[in-house]
């Protein structure tokens, strides 16, 4: 083996080592779009639930006017606004840290998991409070002319309304669980590389 062949083998090993390092590094990089979209979503979520809660509901558009039947009881929901502000603040701080670091670190992973745990606890507390839901929801649907009382549609909508309130809790728990597992996998990959 001459000197040129030795150098080629050495360069190949170095190149493979560099590609391995770069490939491992790619797994920890945070694309800028993720935290930017996260900040935008957090602000929209915050504004919607703080100032425009009445828009969360069933929208009915007719030639004369637009009607909204709200899903939440605004008076009861007001007591949860400080928690929403705290969660939004933690989320925005977390996204800002992702923009600054530009990669997943153990601290970012821990902050993300802490945020998920706090969100889960808050969600369970808030959505298991039955008074948070609009108690007149079905009556307001009838008054808006969307359904008629006693009809088959009324029974169907009533069943969906009752199940969806419980289903929302399970849906949020599953989403937070999947997100936490995915974040935990990032931590595991960081330890391996």
């Amino acid at each position: 083996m001459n000197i040129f062949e030795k150098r080629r083998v050495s360069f190949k090993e170095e190149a493979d080592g560099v590609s391995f390092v770069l490939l491992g590094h790619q797994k920890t990089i945070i694309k800028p779009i993720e935290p930017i979209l996260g900040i935008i979503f957090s602000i929209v979520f915050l504004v919607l639930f703080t100032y425009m809660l009445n828009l969360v509901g069933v929208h009915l558009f007719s030639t004369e006017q637009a009607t909204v039947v709200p899903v939440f009881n605004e008076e009861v929901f007001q007591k949860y606004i400080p928690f929403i502000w705290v969660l939004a603040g933690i989320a925005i701080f977390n996204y800002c840290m992702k923009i600054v670091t530009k990669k997943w670190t153990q601290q970012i992973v821990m902050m993300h998991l802490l945020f998920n745990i706090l969100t889960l606890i808050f969600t369970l507390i808030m959505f298991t409070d039955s008074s948070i839901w609009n108690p007149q929801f079905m009556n307001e649907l009838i008054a808006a002319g969307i359904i008629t009382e006693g009809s088959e549609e009324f029974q169907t909508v009533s069943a969906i309304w009752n199940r969806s309130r419980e289903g929302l809790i399970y849906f949020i728990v599953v989403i937070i669980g999947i997100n936490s597992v995915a974040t935990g996998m990032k931590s595991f990959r960081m330890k391996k590389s």
Side-chain angles (χ1 to χ4, degrees):
M1 191 180 267
N2 65 29
I3 191 159
F4 294 112
E5 289 174 350
K6 285 182 183 177
R7 181 66 188 142
R8 196 172 342 151
V9 170
S10 173
F11 179 73
K12 182 174 178 357
E13 290 170 356
E14 288 174 15
D16 287 345
V18 169
S19 67
F20 175 74
V21 169
L22 288 176
L23 184 62
H25 182 66
Q26 288 289 342
K27 293 179 182 177
T28 63
I29 290 177
I30 298 174
K31 295 176 184 169
I33 193 72
E34 177 194 334
I36 290 170
L37 288 176
I39 290 170
I40 291 169
F41 175 76
S42 296
I43 291 170
V44 168
F45 176 80
L46 185 66
V47 169
L48 177 68
F49 283 98
T50 302
Y51 302 109
M52 297 183 283
L53 186 64
N54 59 334
L55 295 179
V56 179
V58 176
H59 294 260
L60 175 66
F61 300 99
S62 65
T63 55
E64 299 108 30
Q65 65 179 7
T67 306
V68 179
V69 177
V71 170
F72 296 109
N73 182 342
E74 288 188 55
E75 292 175 15
V76 175
F77 199 89
Q78 291 300 317
K79 72 180 181 183
Y80 295 106
I81 297 291
F83 298 109
I84 291 173
W85 276 84
V86 168
L87 283 177
I90 292 170
I92 291 170
F93 177 76
N94 196 9
Y95 290 126
C96 288
M97 292 302 296
K98 288 178 182 180
I99 290 172
V100 170
T101 61
K102 298 179 181 158
K103 64 179 183 171
W104 286 96
T105 63
Q106 291 296 332
Q107 292 82 10
I108 297 288
V109 168
M110 287 303 169
M111 283 179 53
H112 194 84
L113 291 175
L114 175 66
F115 172 74
N116 283 354
I117 291 168
L118 291 174
T119 302
L120 181 63
I121 292 169
F122 172 70
T123 299
L124 291 175
I125 290 170
M126 187 170 88
F127 289 130
T128 54
D129 179 0
S130 61
S131 65
I132 199 167
W133 304 102
N134 181 0
Q136 297 300 315
F137 182 75
M138 294 302 295
N139 293 334
E140 290 178 24
L141 287 179
I142 293 168
I146 297 173
I147 55 174
T148 56
E149 189 171 5
S151 68
E152 188 177 321
E153 292 171 333
F154 177 84
Q155 299 301 328
T156 303
V157 171
S158 180
I160 291 170
W161 170 244
N162 292 330
R163 282 190 224 127
S164 64
R165 292 183 291 175
E166 295 171 9
L168 179 64
I169 295 170
Y170 296 123
F171 178 74
I172 292 172
V173 167
V174 167
I175 294 297
I176 290 173
I178 290 170
N179 185 273
S180 297
V181 168
T183 303
M185 293 298 291
K186 287 179 177 76
S187 176
F188 179 72
R189 284 189 203 129
M190 282 189 298
K191 289 178 183 177
K192 283 182 76 174
S193 57

